[in-house]
Amino acid sequence: MMHFADSLTFSGRKVVAAWAALPFPALPGSSLPDILSAHQQDVPWKLLSSWREQKVSCCFAQSVVLRGICKGKPTSPGQPLQSCESPEQVLQQYLHTQFPGAFSTAHVLQQPCDTRPPFPQFFSPLLTSRGFLLDRAQGSSSAGVESIPALAALQSSPVLRSLLSGLCRELRARNLRRCSSFFTAGVEQDDFQEALEELKTLAQCYETGFGADGSEDEADSD
């Protein structure tokens, strides 16, 4: 995983964010071009970090893997994505549209994620046994969700600047003198301060130059 993350980072960046759609939002019988064309305003996957969720409008590099959705035959003719020859090309074209200029890799696998027991059944009743969305719940069916289409992504994006800056501020706000075990474990105060500066520098590597997160700069400049 470390080497894979390294392949998505450059210009001093070292961290990538994990995103996922579990399940990937798809109606029964819908094609991949139909699904992605319905999400032109925002991508249908969410940030997994504990940091507050943000809409990502740009990124530097990303790798996206989708399982359980084939290209299929579009139900709405004239879609730009329907001209793509393979599911990978459909997803790749969508990524280029959503994140122009970013380095993107896309992989689509036919096999969905297996969610039979002992996988926890925490899914909405609005899902079929194959993990596709319904207009209304299936009633009292106890079959459970046996598999789901899913998407996972690793992304190097400006959202990491806010996350890393926030972590740096939280660490600076703590009174470490009250945590005697922290320094008795071998950590020196100077080393800790140096690590904080490195963390701040790392956060700055995710700046976009378009004025994003300006409040973070001001809050972290003291």
Side-chain angles (χ1 to χ4, degrees):
M1 183 59 73
M2 180 180 65
H3 295 301
F4 184 53
D6 285 344
S7 68
L8 297 174
T9 54
F10 43 84
S11 300
R13 306 180 188 107
K14 301 179 181 179
V15 181
V16 292
W19 302 73
L22 188 76
F24 186 73
L27 298 172
S30 56
S31 70
L32 185 56
D34 286 334
I35 299 167
L36 295 178
S37 294
H39 292 87
Q40 294 294 335
Q41 300 302 317
D42 198 8
V43 295
W45 51 89
K46 304 297 182 182
L47 180 65
L48 297 183
S49 167
S50 59
W51 188 250
R52 66 182 183 273
E53 186 173 335
Q54 301 184 33
K55 181 179 179 180
V56 176
S57 58
C58 66
C59 77
F60 309 114
Q62 62 187 336
S63 179
V64 181
V65 178
L66 175 63
R67 297 183 59 172
I69 299 289
C70 298
K71 179 187 176 184
K73 185 177 180 180
T75 58
S76 302
Q79 295 175 355
L81 295 176
Q82 74 177 36
S83 61
C84 300
E85 297 181 358
S86 67
E88 284 82 6
Q89 290 182 0
V90 173
L91 182 55
Q92 188 81 45
Q93 181 61 40
Y94 176 77
L95 295 175
H96 283 317
T97 301
Q98 295 294 318
F99 305 100
F103 170 76
S104 302
T105 63
H107 302 278
V108 179
L109 308 177
Q110 280 193 328
Q111 184 178 7
C113 290
D114 189 353
T115 56
R116 291 173 294 183
F119 197 97
Q121 290 295 310
F122 49 63
F123 299 106
S124 165
L126 292 174
L127 291 182
T128 69
S129 62
R130 298 299 179 186
F132 292 97
L133 298 174
L134 294 172
D135 292 332
R136 52 184 152 183
Q138 301 183 81
S140 58
S141 174
S142 59
V145 179
E146 299 178 356
S147 65
I148 58 170
L151 180 143
L154 289 180
Q155 190 180 76
S156 173
S157 71
V159 72
L160 285 162
R161 181 180 178 282
S162 298
L163 189 150
L164 294 170
S165 296
L167 176 60
C168 187
R169 288 195 306 275
E170 290 179 10
L171 290 172
R172 281 179 173 171
R174 297 186 179 275
N175 186 356
L176 295 179
R177 293 187 180 89
R178 296 181 179 178
C179 305
S180 58
S181 60
F182 186 79
F183 293 106
T184 56
V187 179
E188 298 292 340
Q189 180 70 35
D190 291 343
D191 293 337
F192 178 74
Q193 293 301 326
E194 182 179 351
L196 284 181
E197 289 301 317
E198 291 177 354
L199 183 60
K200 179 180 178 181
T201 300
L202 178 60
Q204 292 171 345
C205 291
Y206 290 88
E207 292 179 354
T208 60
F210 296 107
D213 300 320
S215 59
E216 302 287 351
D217 276 336
E218 295 174 5
D220 198 39
S221 61
D222 51 350

